[in-house]
């Protein structure tokens, strides 16, 4: 058993979720309200370690009214326990789980255990299927996946994503090194592409929001 997983992201018209220097303020004010409503509805919110290193996010509900109890559990996928001990994701605003692999140095894991729950799974990288099962066992039924593009790729190609919601902002930045919605190794043959069904589309301010169901 695993949680229902919703991948949510904001991208430019050319599919970038950050510039090549890591600048990533893409969503307009109205879309951020939608994002924080989705955070409030979710039991957990998950990001990859590079997103923590690039953005130092809080991953709480802070753009709309919410009580502290409405913050989702924060989950960081961090094979080698690189989450900086003073990062905001480890503050006391919400509980945090750091998922590491067996490659994580014990010294860094011990430091993280002072402010987070640590789940160890996988040899080189975090085993995402096992992590999803463990989160479900802990009561997580709805999980919001907030990137970045490498984790998005692993989750989607492992068949662990049920819905994709994207905000497309009317901006173009280009850049071969700029992260897109989904990067990773890439599927080689179009016949093997992950297929989606468009469920809903609407504008929010200047942005366009598309909501898809992932076909099984
Ligand atoms: N516009 C938006 O909506 C968002 C933009 N971003 C941007 O995305 C960028 C970061 O994206 P990425 O560099 O792709 O990194 P990422 O945030 O996806 O982290 C990937 C890292 O997670 C670790 N990991 C451990 N086990 C893994 C597994 N099984 N599968 C995949 N990764 C695993 C690895 O160290 C891997 O390099 C940042 O610039 C951030 O600003 C991030 C979230 C949302
Ligand atoms: N939906 C959305 N729109 C954008 O424009 C974004 N840059 C992001 N980024 C994600 O939100 C995190 C920041 O969260 P806090 O406000 O610090 O809680 C960032 O790390 C990305 O995961 N998302």
């Amino acid at each position: 058993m695993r949680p229902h997983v919703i991948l949510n992201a904001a991208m430019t018209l050319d599919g970038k979720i950050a510039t090549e220097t890591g600048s990533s303020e893409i969503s307009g004010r109205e879309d951020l309200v939608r994002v924080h409503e989705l955070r409030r509805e979710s039991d957990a919110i998950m990001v990859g370690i590079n997103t923590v290193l690039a953005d130092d996010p809080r991953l709480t509900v802070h753009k709309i009214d919410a009580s502290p109890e409405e913050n989702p559990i924060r989950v960081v996928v961090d094979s080698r326990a690189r989450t900086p001990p003073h990062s905001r994701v480890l503050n006391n605003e919400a509980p945090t789980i750091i998922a590491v692999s067996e490659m994580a140095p014990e010294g860094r894991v011990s430091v993280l255990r002072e402010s987070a729950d640590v789940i160890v799974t996988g040899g080189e990288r975090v085993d995402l299927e096992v992590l999803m099962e463990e989160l479900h066992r802990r009561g997580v039924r709805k999980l919001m996946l907030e990137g970045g593009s490498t984790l998005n790729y692993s989750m989607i190609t492992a068949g662990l994503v049920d819905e994709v919601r994207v905000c497309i902002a009317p901006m173009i930045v280009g850049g071969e090194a700029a992260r897109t919605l989904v990067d990773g190794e890439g599927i080689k043959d179009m016949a093997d592409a992950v297929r989606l069904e468009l469920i809903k589309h609407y504008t929010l301010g200047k942005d366009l929001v598309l909501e898809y169901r992932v076909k099984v």
Side-chain angles (χ1 to χ4, degrees):
M1 299 281 277
R2 66 166 178 85
H4 182 85
V5 176
I6 302 172
L7 187 166
N8 187 85
M11 66 184 200
T12 59
L13 182 60
D14 51 333
K16 310 296 187 188
I17 62 166
T19 65
E20 51 181 75
T21 62
S23 164
S24 65
E25 284 177 17
I26 297 169
S27 294
R29 190 171 37 84
E30 296 88 345
D31 186 58
L32 287 174
V33 170
R34 179 192 64 82
V35 169
H36 283 248
E37 282 168 350
L38 183 55
R39 284 185 179 187
R40 188 171 56 185
E41 287 165 19
S42 301
D43 301 311
I45 173 169
M46 184 168 92
V47 297
I49 178 61
N50 291 351
T51 295
V52 170
L53 297 176
D55 299 345
D56 192 18
R58 289 162 68 181
L59 302 183
T60 55
V61 185
H62 58 88
K63 302 246 185 250
I64 57 173
D65 284 341
S67 59
E69 302 77 52
E70 290 178 291
N71 283 326
I73 299 168
R74 302 174 290 192
V75 182
V76 181
V77 177
D78 179 12
S79 307
R80 283 155 209 267
R82 290 186 294 145
T83 302
H86 297 292
S87 52
R88 296 201 290 181
V89 81
L90 293 176
N91 68 19
N92 60 9
E93 288 183 282
T96 300
I97 294 172
I98 309 288
V100 304
S101 75
E102 286 154 14
M103 295 300 288
E106 194 42 54
R108 290 213 292 262
V109 171
S110 305
V111 173
L112 291 178
R113 283 193 201 280
E114 290 170 16
S115 41
D117 265 357
V118 176
I119 294 176
V120 184
T121 174
E124 281 285 324
R125 295 211 297 181
V126 171
D127 185 324
L128 297 171
E129 284 191 28
V130 174
L131 175 61
M132 289 301 109
E133 284 165 13
E134 178 58 22
L135 292 176
H136 188 274
R137 202 185 62 73
R138 294 178 183 215
V140 176
R141 297 291 178 268
K142 184 168 177 176
L143 181 136
M144 181 178 177
L145 170 61
E146 267 210 35
S149 50
T150 308
L151 184 60
N152 288 348
Y153 178 78
S154 295
M155 287 288 291
I156 285 186
T157 53
L160 296 173
V161 176
D162 301 287
E163 291 181 51
V164 177
R165 300 184 188 177
V166 283
C167 159
I168 303 179
M171 299 192 267
I172 292 177
V173 290
E176 282 177 27
R179 289 287 185 219
T180 68
L181 179 63
V182 181
D183 286 333
E185 290 165 19
I187 291 167
K188 309 297 175 240
D189 192 330
M190 199 55 82
D192 299 326
V194 173
R195 309 269 164 182
L196 312 165
E197 180 188 356
L198 183 64
I199 302 295
K200 225 168 149 183
H201 59 284
Y202 48 94
T203 53
L204 279 180
K206 292 178 180 168
D207 299 332
L208 172 64
V209 180
L210 302 175
E211 300 190 3
Y212 295 90
R213 181 180 69 79
V214 178
K215 288 187 171 179
V216 282

